[in-house]
Amino acid sequence: AQTSGSTLVLDDGTTISGGALALNDANDVLEIEVGPGGSNGPGPDATLDGVTVTNAGTVQIDSGATLALQDRAAIDGAISFNGTGGMLALDTSSNVSNAVVGLSSGNAIDFTDITSNENPQVQYDSTSDTLRVTYQPAEHSPITETIQLSGGHTASDFVAVQDQNGGTEVLDQPNASVTVLTPDGLDFQTNPNPLTEMGSGAIEPSGSMFTFT
């Protein structure tokens, strides 16, 4: 398939198998949006199965949508998260060669065939803006999958968790700040203790800030 100066929308479990999809113009967009089943549907909103997406355009993953890459699928152009709740799911045979833009809290990259038994470890290099997931299959040397990011992150932003199918999701975890506005004389010796329940944050009695951990 080939588009020029346009947007091609995939949703509702669409699968494209084999061949190439050429985005010939910088304004061309392959848009992945949530189908009628919603973001909690049974599978990805679009799957590229052995497809190569080439040239200058952008693959856009909308809020709540999932794009799956499998069986040596490849995307040569940029991938952009447009909103929150989006997911890029790919197996280790597939390849993303340019930067993933807009990965933020609420979005995820799912390495679908890296299991918890392979002890996946997430590393982020802020100098090169590179995300690495290193895992060790049985009776094999460690293997590292690399995703180039764009947008500025820190190593503490990322955490790896097991997905519902046994793969590994890399999440951009938010840094939460908790502020408790309290009247003078509030008793924190109650059971349960509010400080213990919250963990850490800031208390501002009468406008003066105190930090607790």
Side-chain angles (χ1 to χ4, degrees):
Q2 181 171 328
T3 66
S4 180
S6 61
T7 298
L8 174 63
V9 178
L10 302 180
D11 63 9
D12 200 22
T14 301
T15 296
I16 300 178
S17 299
L21 177 65
L23 305 176
N24 291 324
D25 187 274
N27 294 319
D28 288 345
V29 176
L30 176 62
E31 180 178 359
I32 315 303
E33 67 177 20
V34 177
S39 58
N40 295 318
D45 298 283
T47 299
L48 301 182
D49 187 340
V51 176
T52 298
V53 181
T54 62
N55 296 333
T58 298
V59 176
Q60 175 179 300
I61 303 174
D62 287 348
S63 294
T66 297
L67 170 62
L69 307 180
Q70 62 187 38
D71 297 335
R72 298 185 179 275
I75 295 180
D76 292 339
I79 297 178
S80 176
F81 285 101
N82 181 33
T84 62
M87 179 181 292
L88 172 64
L90 69 163
D91 63 16
T92 54
S93 74
S94 298
N95 182 57
V96 175
S97 55
N98 280 334
V100 175
V101 181
L103 179 63
S104 59
S105 177
N107 298 321
I109 298 176
D110 189 353
F111 296 86
T112 57
D113 54 358
I114 298 178
T115 70
S116 60
N117 292 334
E118 295 170 320
N119 191 30
Q121 301 293 317
V122 178
Q123 297 176 314
Y124 173 72
D125 184 344
S126 59
T127 302
S128 60
D129 212 357
T130 302
L131 180 70
R132 297 184 177 92
V133 177
T134 300
Y135 62 104
Q136 186 160 5
E139 300 180 1
H140 198 288
S141 300
I143 300 173
T144 298
E145 301 294 328
T146 301
I147 298 286
Q148 188 72 36
L149 301 180
S150 177
H153 301 273
T154 63
S156 61
D157 288 344
F158 300 105
V159 61
V161 299
Q162 184 173 323
D163 70 19
Q164 60 184 353
N165 297 311
T168 299
E169 279 187 24
V170 176
L171 308 176
D172 185 325
Q173 57 182 349
N175 293 318
S177 176
V178 178
T179 299
V180 181
L181 300 177
T182 68
D184 289 338
L186 182 63
D187 184 4
F188 280 98
Q189 302 305 312
T190 59
N191 188 14
N193 188 313
L195 302 185
T196 304
E197 294 298 306
M198 289 184 294
S200 64
I203 307 175
E204 298 182 3
S206 301
S208 299
M209 178 174 288
F210 299 89
T211 300
F212 69 88
T213 57

